[in-house]
Amino acid sequence: MQYGMNTLLFACPFTNESTPLFAQLKAWGFDSVEIGLVDPGDIDPQHVRRELDQHELKCSAICAIMTADRDLRGNDQQQQTGVEYLETVMEQMQVLACPKIVGPLYSAVGRTEAYEANEQQEQWKCVAGHLQKLAEKAEANQQTLCVEPLNRFETDMVNTAEQGLEMLRHIDRPAMKLHLDTFHMNIEEKFLPEAIRRAGD
């Protein structure tokens, strides 16, 4: 097992100037970092990779920050901006030798609204279509996209492991996986061990 730390606990946004954090994380005994990337333009991935290598750390994941203007179920402009953000992050992941991007890739955080069933279905189709195409690119680069369910106060779309698995069934690509966060699970799941077992591999 490897132990990692999310940079959002120390630096938001994470920039080139945040990389001195790596020395401290290594001293504390961590093996890897998960970088919360608010804006891909905040870093030079070559610089960050050099700093990671210098401190013998891996970038285990990029934590995607889905803002109001990056929403795969929003209006056309929001969808386009969301896709472009994720594509740019995936390009930087190649430089960072980072295998995974994790987070609520499907929608902006904080969107908690009520929709009729037919509108919900249309939103799921829209999100699945975008993530299918992104997953195809990820597979070509040996990358993985990990959908993270959030609690009901942060999203109205994917709250439980079962809903996450349902989204994966819609997308149906091997590069799409599920990321379970026990903070959110503790709010939404009736029985955490069973939810983890359902998620399986």
Side-chain angles (χ1 to χ4, degrees):
M1 178 181 290
Q2 289 206 340
Y3 291 91
M5 176 63 73
N6 192 310
T7 62
L8 288 171
L9 292 172
F10 300 92
C12 187
F14 183 89
T15 67
N16 288 342
E17 285 67 44
S18 306
T19 55
L21 170 64
F22 295 161
Q24 183 63 74
L25 295 181
K26 185 64 178 180
W28 284 339
F30 287 101
D31 305 298
S32 64
V33 294
E34 178 181 315
I35 297 175
L37 198 53
V38 176
D39 187 333
D42 288 337
I43 66 167
D44 171 3
Q46 296 280 4
H47 169 77
V48 175
R49 173 66 184 274
R50 285 193 298 270
E51 293 295 310
L52 287 166
D53 290 346
Q54 180 181 339
H55 295 95
E56 298 180 326
L57 290 168
K58 301 293 185 184
C59 180
S60 59
I62 296 292
C63 180
I65 311 297
M66 302 304 286
T67 54
D69 62 332
R70 303 170 184 158
D71 195 333
L72 299 191
R73 59 175 173 147
N75 61 38
D76 290 346
Q77 182 60 55
Q78 290 168 326
Q79 292 178 43
Q80 180 180 341
T81 303
V83 168
E84 290 172 353
Y85 164 75
L86 293 171
E87 287 178 335
T88 303
V89 170
M90 290 164 64
E91 291 170 4
Q92 293 188 338
M93 286 165 58
Q94 294 183 65
V95 179
L96 295 169
C98 174
K100 296 179 178 70
I101 180 171
V102 305
L105 308 179
Y106 42 87
S107 181
V109 176
R111 188 169 173 182
T112 54
E113 305 160 51
Y115 296 98
E116 297 293 337
N118 62 335
E119 191 169 357
Q120 288 179 333
Q121 290 173 357
E122 288 303 312
Q123 289 181 1
W124 275 67
K125 287 179 184 177
C126 182
V127 168
H130 287 304
L131 290 180
Q132 280 173 338
K133 293 175 183 176
L134 288 165
E136 290 174 11
K137 294 183 178 182
E139 287 156 23
N141 297 324
Q142 297 183 310
Q143 297 170 339
T144 304
L145 308 179
C146 304
V147 171
E148 179 182 359
L150 302 184
N151 70 75
R152 72 194 75 175
F153 307 108
E154 297 186 40
T155 188
D156 56 37
M157 193 167 201
V158 181
N159 304 121
T160 65
E162 185 54 45
Q163 289 173 323
L165 291 170
E166 179 63 23
M167 177 160 282
L168 264 59
R169 286 190 284 269
H170 272 77
I171 297 165
D172 193 28
R173 299 297 309 187
M176 290 301 310
K177 301 293 183 183
L178 191 62
H179 174 74
L180 298 180
D181 184 323
T182 54
F183 170 81
H184 299 288
M185 294 180 76
N186 192 52
I187 297 172
E188 297 295 342
E189 302 289 352
K190 293 180 180 178
F191 190 48
L192 272 69
E194 181 56 32
I196 294 169
R197 292 188 192 101
R198 283 201 308 275
D201 292 336

